Amino acid sequence: MSLFHGCLRRGCGQARQSEDPPASGARGRASGQGRGAPALTLLGLLVVFLSFWYGSAALMPGSAAQAADSGGAKAPAGVAAPSNAGPAAYGNLAGGGSQSPAAWGTPAGQAYLLGPGDALAISVWGYPELNWTVTVRPDGLISLPLVGDVAAAGKSVGQLRSALTVAFSKHFPKPEVSVMVVGFRTLHVQALGAVVRPGIYELPPAATLKDLVAAAGGAAPDADLTRATLTQGTGLALGTAQGRRVDLRALLEGAPGQNGSGQNGPESQPGPTEGAGPGGQGGNSANPILQDGDTLYIPRLVPALALGQVQAPGAYLPSPDDRILDLLAKSGGLAPDADPAHAAFTHLGRTVAVDLAKLQENPQSAENLPVAPGDKLFVPKAALVLVLGQVNRAGSYQLPPGATVADALAAAGGLSASADPTGVVLTRAADGQAQTLNLAGPGGSAGSAGRAPDLDVPVQGGDRLWVPQIQPVVVLGQVARAGSYPLPPGATVADALAAAGGMTAAADPTQVALTPASGGSPQILDLSAPASGGSTAINRPVHPGDRLFVPEGRRVTVLGAVQSPGVFYLRAGDGIPELLAMAGGPKTGEADLRAAEIRRPGQPAQPVDLQAVLSHPGQAVGPDLVSGDGLYVPPSRNRVLALGSVNRPGSFPLQEGDRLLDLVAAAGGLKDTADLAAAKLQRTGPGPQVQTLPVRLDQVMANPDSSLNLPLQPGDTLVVPEARMQVAVMGQVRAPGSYPYRPGDRLLDVLARAGGTTDKAALDQIRIYQGGNVQGARTADLGQGDLRFSGQVTENPELAPGDVVVVPEKWQVDWAQVVTYLTVIKLARDLILGR
């Protein structure tokens, strides 16, 4: 093709001295030689023809090669500009390919301007060695041999080709320069402020503002789309003369407005080049084409505030058409204690009064002002009456106009039981003056018959009503619940004691002290006197602040031979007789009244003759008792004991002339199990030794007047052991075993206790071993040969303690087994006799 171009311009076979033919790829200026066209062969002519045809096609108007060489950046027909493409659409172009700028959104028919990062292929026709590939530097220049630095940024391809042609013409006559974009640059732009992902993004050339918003994830929910600012290039100060205001609401939402802005949004503020992007490349003014280094800043919406007595105070983003009632609705409406008539609305630094109640009645009123970002609505709290002190529900209450003290108390649940209606204090909000009210009626309490005039005193918003507590009556000492108790007017000592749970058992009701609140000496009240006519001490009135003290009585302990030993409290005037009465009195016949003692801590025991004290009731006999004393009543020493197998073992007083059988009778007699022959009488002699005397009670009972019925002495003890009186039953009975012997028992009695005989029993061969002695056996025939009991008493022998009864099996008397029984009988005898 180069060869054909040379022939076309100079003519084949002719020599030109001003230009070199490019046939061999080197300049044809051989020293001393003329220029001659080489001979063309047929094959060479064919190559020339094909080269001519190809070069003609490449130079046809509208071709891509012509567009690149001539500098035109016309977008081919039918290529759609992806103006809505996001960052993903540019992923294969970020590295700078060789695609036409039309593929990145350059409007058709609009020239592509070069910028830093574009890769260019530059050559000079006819000079193969003048062929370079360069990249536009960040300063917008390119560097080439012979011509040096040439400005490329901001020029179209054609403009750069013209500039290079002028530069190379200084070195070559009529040079023809070719400029081609072989690699397109990427844009580095920023999205800041209210976007989802603020940061720096790489976008292809011809990317628009909408593409940058999409790359940043879109606008944030609180973005102020009407006040976005697009700053050109390296202009870092947002909102300076280098920036311009853009209405993203119109761009992203399609809202109508002037210059792409919304109806209520601010007007567009054009930058240095009206109708073009910050870089001056042009495009839709609402969606300009970006230049490298551009910065988009979207400010955030400033919320409006709803404060004070609303349901949900806080900050709310206003909509373009929001008004005061809309902001109130977003905050949940008015709170129960709100004062809607005195609300305040602040707009652009100016505050106006707003009656929300009237606005709610007429929302279309002109006073329902628009709400802009930063506005503030404040709803004050309604004027309330504060009720404190002794009421059932203390707090603040909103009362209607004309409300009175009675209405305020009713709203607070009324007076409590401890309220003092005579000292209620009302403090006025207007002047701070305090007024004391008496709400008690003629009956002495609020609400009683005859309404108190002070209940009708009017109250106003901000007033404070304080109800004091009745000054309590203090009850201390020996009461169930000592403490302070507010009592109603007219209360008495009985009411105070009842509030404290009453007096304890340790109280001394005769020495109760009542100290008045006004001061002075305490009064001693005797509350033990019975009430009569309402004039006794128990009915004495008490007043708020009085002090009632119930002292403890004298604490005295009673021990020894009395009915109820324990601790007792004596009242004033009580002595030993009253103390013994509290203890249930001495035990009859057991107490040694003449040997009693008063035991006082730190002092020796003081003897007292209780016999003399009890013989002179009402007289001051014996020592006076003090708190902490102890009275000991020793048991009488003139006593005897009966132990063992008697019906009522115990200690018994010894009467003069008592003998052995008298003690047995005092003990309730002997038990059936008593061993009369083994009884013993233990007697304490003059010395420490104890003397044991055998007693044959069987003989004594047979002859009570004999000398065996010994006279008793103080301290004697009769011990009657229990006899081992049993009878063993063995053999053919239903329940073999040992059974208690009762005096007069016979054979049939013992067999009955053993459950009776079995069907195999030989009733005519029953053996009775007296005392368990195998040598003394006898045979009893209850059946007279036919195993039937004849009923004659002579055949039902009487038994004695220790007997062993053996009932053999009928018809088969096994004497070997009898021998075995004999061994068992001996064991049974030993068991019965305790051997």
Side-chain angles (χ1 to χ4, degrees), residues 29-45:
R29 291 176 178 167
S31 301
Q33 294 182 2
R35 303 179 191 272
L40 298 177
T41 63
L42 181 60
L43 180 59
L45 291 174

Side-chain angles (χ1 to χ4, degrees), residues 353-373:
V354 178
D355 188 343
L356 295 178
K358 292 182 178 180
L359 287 186
Q360 289 176 331
E361 296 174 358
N362 185 16
Q364 304 302 325
S365 171
E367 295 182 0
N368 192 13
L369 301 174
V371 177

Side-chain angles (χ1 to χ4, degrees), residues 135-475:
T135 302
V136 181
R137 300 199 308 260
D139 57 1
L141 304 177
I142 59 174
S143 297
L144 296 174
L146 299 179
V147 297
D149 292 339
V150 179
K155 296 179 180 179
S156 66
V157 174
Q159 291 172 343
L160 179 59
R161 189 181 71 84
S162 298
L164 291 176
T165 299
V166 174
F168 278 108
S169 65
K170 297 178 182 180
H171 304 281
F172 306 100
K174 297 182 179 180
E176 295 190 13
V177 181
S178 174
V179 178
M180 293 185 62
V181 181
V182 295
F184 291 98
R185 69 184 183 276
T186 57
L187 301 178
H188 290 79
V189 291
Q190 296 187 75
L192 303 177
V195 292
V196 176
R197 294 186 299 274
I200 300 176
Y201 294 90
E202 287 189 7
L203 299 180
T208 64
L209 178 61
K210 192 171 185 180
D211 298 329
L212 175 57
V213 175
D222 58 345
D224 189 353
L225 300 178
T226 64
R227 297 192 303 117
T229 303
L230 184 63
T231 305
Q232 175 186 2
T234 58
L236 300 179
L238 302 180
T240 63
Q242 292 179 326
R244 58 170 290 188
R245 184 73 62 82
V246 291
D247 186 357
L248 291 181
R249 187 168 69 95
L251 175 62
L252 301 179
E253 302 176 2
Q258 297 179 359
N259 200 15
S261 64
Q263 182 178 359
N264 296 327
E267 296 183 357
S268 175
Q269 299 177 0
T273 54
E274 179 64 64
Q281 185 166 325
N284 187 350
S285 61
N287 189 25
I289 296 175
L290 301 176
Q291 296 297 309
D292 191 65
D294 284 358
T295 300
L296 172 65
Y297 173 73
I298 305 177
R300 298 185 184 275
L301 284 173
V302 179
L305 301 179
L307 305 176
Q309 304 307 308
V310 293
Q311 296 287 356
Y316 300 92
L317 293 177
S319 300
D321 299 329
D322 274 359
R323 294 183 175 270
I324 292 178
L325 290 182
D326 299 314
L327 179 58
L328 179 62
K330 289 181 178 180
S331 63
L334 296 172
D337 55 351
D339 184 2
H342 298 88
F345 180 67
T346 302
H347 176 72
L348 299 178
R350 179 171 173 265
T351 302
V352 295
V354 178
D355 188 343
L356 295 178
K358 292 182 178 180
L359 287 186
Q360 289 176 331
E361 296 174 358
N362 185 16
Q364 304 302 325
S365 171
E367 295 182 0
N368 192 13
L369 301 174
V371 177
D375 288 355
K376 180 173 69 175
L377 175 64
F378 176 76
V379 181
K381 195 172 186 178
L384 304 177
V385 175
L386 184 63
V387 184
L388 300 175
Q390 300 304 309
V391 291
N392 292 315
R393 293 189 302 273
S396 297
Y397 298 94
Q398 185 174 3
L399 301 178
T404 63
V405 170
D407 299 324
L409 293 177
L415 298 177
S416 65
S418 58
D420 182 4
T422 63
V424 178
V425 178
L426 175 63
T427 303
R428 292 292 184 188
D431 51 11
Q433 296 295 324
Q435 177 183 359
T436 301
L437 306 178
N438 184 1
L439 307 183
S445 61
S448 60
R451 180 182 178 91
D454 286 348
L455 286 171
D456 297 325
V457 172
V459 293
Q460 304 171 2
D463 284 357
R464 187 180 71 175
L465 195 65
W466 183 74
V467 180
Q469 183 182 23
I470 295 179
Q471 189 174 3
V473 173
V474 180
V475 184

